[in-house]
Amino acid sequence: GDEDGVDPPQLQIVCDNLFDSRDANGALTVETYERLGTASQILAGYLERVLNRFNAHTLTAAKNVLKTMISTEGRRLILRSSQLDSPITGQNHDDQSRLIEELIAARVVRRRSQDGEAWLELAHDFLTAEVSRWLTEEEIALKRARGVIDRAMQNFRAHQLMMDSDALELLLPFGEQLDLSGEEAD
């Protein structure tokens, strides 16, 4: 379920792997489960199988989408669908939307609706460790800089607080990589 439970798709993936690995007598055992690496390794293996479906260009794009869904600390982020509207994959908007839909259909990404708005996240916390390994030092630094901008925008909107010069100095080396909106740039 949604609250501290096990999502049925992840349970199905784990059980399917266990079923395929049952012993000669057809038994499912704890030893088999542990040999397979428990749920975290089984789900990481599933992610790898899903990604193997894509060609090289689409694989890079899929990884870029998934990397946006984790924090620099390796936590799962819940993002508004609109946050993924601008191309982050090197593909056009329609191709990126189709890719996200494929990841949702494969149960790697989950869509939720709240207050009439769609939200996206990695389907399970077990996937964050695998996706975190894909982040380069440069990507982590850029994510942190983007976080500074996002917090500055929240502070400005709520309290009309301007970004201090130290934070601005931190952001300057990233230049156009931050892909600032007009409001953010102002």
Side-chain angles (χ1 to χ4, degrees):
D2 290 337
E3 306 274 335
D4 296 330
V6 177
D7 279 330
Q10 281 73 40
L11 182 61
Q12 183 178 8
I13 292 164
V14 170
C15 289
D16 186 54
N17 275 263
L18 281 171
F19 185 79
D20 289 346
S21 300
R22 59 192 187 276
D23 66 19
N25 298 324
L28 304 173
T29 64
V30 172
E31 291 77 23
T32 301
Y33 176 69
E34 290 172 349
R35 182 176 45 78
L36 292 173
T38 69
S40 59
Q41 282 303 113
I42 292 169
L43 292 171
Y46 175 75
L47 175 62
E48 184 177 326
R49 287 190 304 279
V50 167
L51 295 176
N52 283 337
R53 300 176 193 169
F54 299 121
N55 64 36
H57 177 70
T58 309
L59 173 63
T60 300
K63 285 185 171 185
N64 286 339
V65 167
L66 297 174
K67 287 188 289 187
T68 63
M69 296 183 173
I70 61 167
S71 70
T72 57
E73 295 81 27
R75 288 190 317 261
R76 185 169 44 157
L77 298 174
I78 302 172
L79 305 173
R80 287 181 173 91
S81 288
S82 60
Q83 289 175 277
L84 295 175
D85 282 347
S86 61
I88 55 172
T89 64
Q91 297 182 316
N92 68 44
H93 183 332
D94 291 339
D95 288 343
Q96 180 170 295
S97 294
R98 276 192 292 279
L99 173 60
I100 291 170
E101 291 303 319
E102 281 187 62
L103 293 170
I104 291 168
R107 305 282 195 240
V108 172
V109 171
R110 176 176 35 205
R111 178 185 292 125
R112 294 182 178 192
S113 292
Q114 184 174 346
D115 300 326
E117 189 169 13
W119 297 78
L120 298 170
E121 65 181 326
L122 286 178
H124 203 284
D125 284 331
F126 287 125
L127 299 174
T128 59
E130 186 67 24
V131 174
S132 291
R133 283 194 277 271
W134 304 338
L135 287 172
T136 65
E137 290 299 319
E138 294 82 23
E139 290 170 322
I140 291 170
L142 185 58
K143 275 180 158 291
R144 286 186 179 136
R146 185 75 230 170
V148 169
I149 290 286
D150 293 343
R151 282 187 299 280
M153 288 304 299
Q154 289 171 356
N155 287 334
F156 180 75
R157 288 180 185 132
H159 310 288
Q160 282 66 51
L161 295 175
M162 299 297 287
M163 184 183 298
D164 66 29
S165 60
D166 290 338
L168 189 57
E169 288 294 322
L170 256 166
L171 300 175
L172 287 177
F174 295 100
E176 298 210 7
Q177 288 177 299
L178 288 170
D179 194 29
L180 299 177
S181 70
E183 182 185 21
E184 291 169 338
D186 287 346

